Amino acid sequence: MNPTRIVIVGGGFGGLAAAKALRKTPAGITLIDRTNHHLFQPLLYQVATAVLTPSQIATPIRTILGKQKNTTVILGEVTGVDKERKCVFVSNADRENVPVEYEYLILATGATHSYFGHSEFARHAPGMKSLADAVASRNKILQAFEQAEAEEDPGRHRDLLTFILVGAGPTGVEMAGALAVLVRTTLKSEFRRIDPASARIVLVDRGPRVLHPFSEKLSKAARQRLEKLGVEVRLGHSVDQIDADGIVVGGERIASRTVIWTAGVAPSSAGSWLKAETDRAGRVRIQEDLSVPDHPEIFVVGDTAYFEESGNPLPGVAQVAMQQGRYAAKVIHSRMIGTLPPGPFSYFDKGTMAVVGKGFAVLQSGKVQLSGFGAWLTWAAVHLQFLATSSLRLTVFLQWIWTYVTGQRGSRLIVDHYGPEPGMEPKSTVIRSAS
Ligand SMILES: Cc1cc2nc3c(=O)[nH]c(=O)nc-3n(C[C@H](O)[C@H](O)[C@H](O)COP(=O)(O)OP(=O)(O)OC[C@H]3O[C@@H](n4cnc5c(N)ncnc54)[C@H](O)[C@@H]3O)c2cc1C
């Protein structure tokens, strides 16, 4: 008899947690992801600011699940779901919309960045969601310093050395802090025509405070820390325009060659594949066992799901995705082996943290609110613990100590992934500069 087929779409926090929790289930599990790696998104900003290399925050999904004999990993993009035929459609480099059948389906396809209806901003302000995004931002930042050093006219240095981050949530704050440390320490003595420490870093948000998911007290501590690091914090105004010359915010133009989008996110297309009820943002409304109404065999978990607890939606964070992934796996396992299913899903909030520059973080967990070095040590320990493999934990730990002590960064490369068109003269070498 053929084993029960369980299809998991997405090898991020939710999908991977589900797959691991199904390791002893007597089923054939297929995990499909459009990338070949599991990405630790909370450290993307460290790749963008050259502290870590891409391979220190991502691991091939195949490697993580290599020893799990009941699981097959497929690299492919899911383009739709047929609920009646019980199959998902998968496209890859040479095949389109190939049906893959399931008895149980877990959708864990996460979110992407949202430009709040201004898709034209994307061209000039890359977001921060994938490894490619982080490397593109790193290229942009390092390139700006190189261009400024090569530029004889000091009048043009100002625009080149102005860095704008749009969105003062955890990603924007962490990025701004790391960028401030980069320019004031690592790069300080390496240039001759420019002073990297004079770089202007501007953090913009339409909300009234930075780190809105945190308490006012921690938000204030984070803002003070940013300002101490020399970051200009501009709150209370939406960005009206982003173009090649900078941004317009609150009617004022700020000239800059480097704008990075660290604001909103939008869920994946899972809601439209399922034609299911969604919230206004497009997240699939799921039931207390995380299944889709009228489809007990389909589960949606993580950033692409909408789940309320005590009247409030759960936040789009890694812990929610992992706990939901594990829970969905438990429900499927219990149904398959005929044991009692677990009670309704309930989220255990372990707390939230954000780093603001070197040796400083804010931490909120229940009634505990901490800021400073102690919070930073906790942040470091927790993040190391959640990296996918022991080798990553070790290399990231060593890199952090090295960077902390010497100020040197792990990966200051400007890497142009797009070589010259076939038949054209090369304009530049692929790797243009290295530290
Ligand atoms: C820059 C940044 C910083 C963050 N910092 C923190 C933090 O400090 N703490 C925290 O708790 N959370 C943080 N988060 C949020 C956290 O990363 C997400 O909540 C978490 O990743 C959600 O897990 P998920 O499984 O729902 O989605 P993801 O982890 O995003 O995984 C989705 C997976 O689905 C795959 N996929 C998507 N669409 C398809 C498709 N059509 N076909 C095949 N595969 C597909 C993707 O390739 C991806 O691997 C951060 C997020 C970002 C972007």
Side-chain angles (χ1 to χ4, degrees), residues 305-326:
Y306 179 91
F307 188 91
E308 271 184 17
E309 215 165 62
S310 316
N312 294 313
L314 292 182
V317 294
Q319 272 301 327
V320 171
M322 287 194 288
Q323 290 179 30
Q324 289 187 332
R326 275 183 224 122

Side-chain angles (χ1 to χ4, degrees), residues 10 12-14 33-34 41-42 76 78 108-110 128-129 171 302-303 316-318 321:
F13 285 102
D33 200 298
R34 62 183 171 199
Q41 291 174 7
V78 168
T109 37
M128 188 72 67
K129 237 357 219 159
T171 304
D303 281 5
V317 294

Side-chain angles (χ1 to χ4, degrees), residues 40-61:
F40 194 81
Q41 291 174 7
L43 291 179
L44 269 175
Y45 83 95
Q46 295 212 353
V47 171
T49 53
V51 177
L52 298 175
T53 63
S55 61
Q56 284 176 306
I57 66 160
T59 313
I61 299 169

Side-chain angles (χ1 to χ4, degrees), residues 393-403:
R393 287 191 275 279
L394 182 66
T395 62
V396 170
F397 176 63
L398 293 176
Q399 182 62 55
W400 282 350
I401 292 182
W402 183 251
T403 302

Side-chain angles (χ1 to χ4, degrees), residues 28 70 209 246:
N70 65 352
R209 59 192 178 95

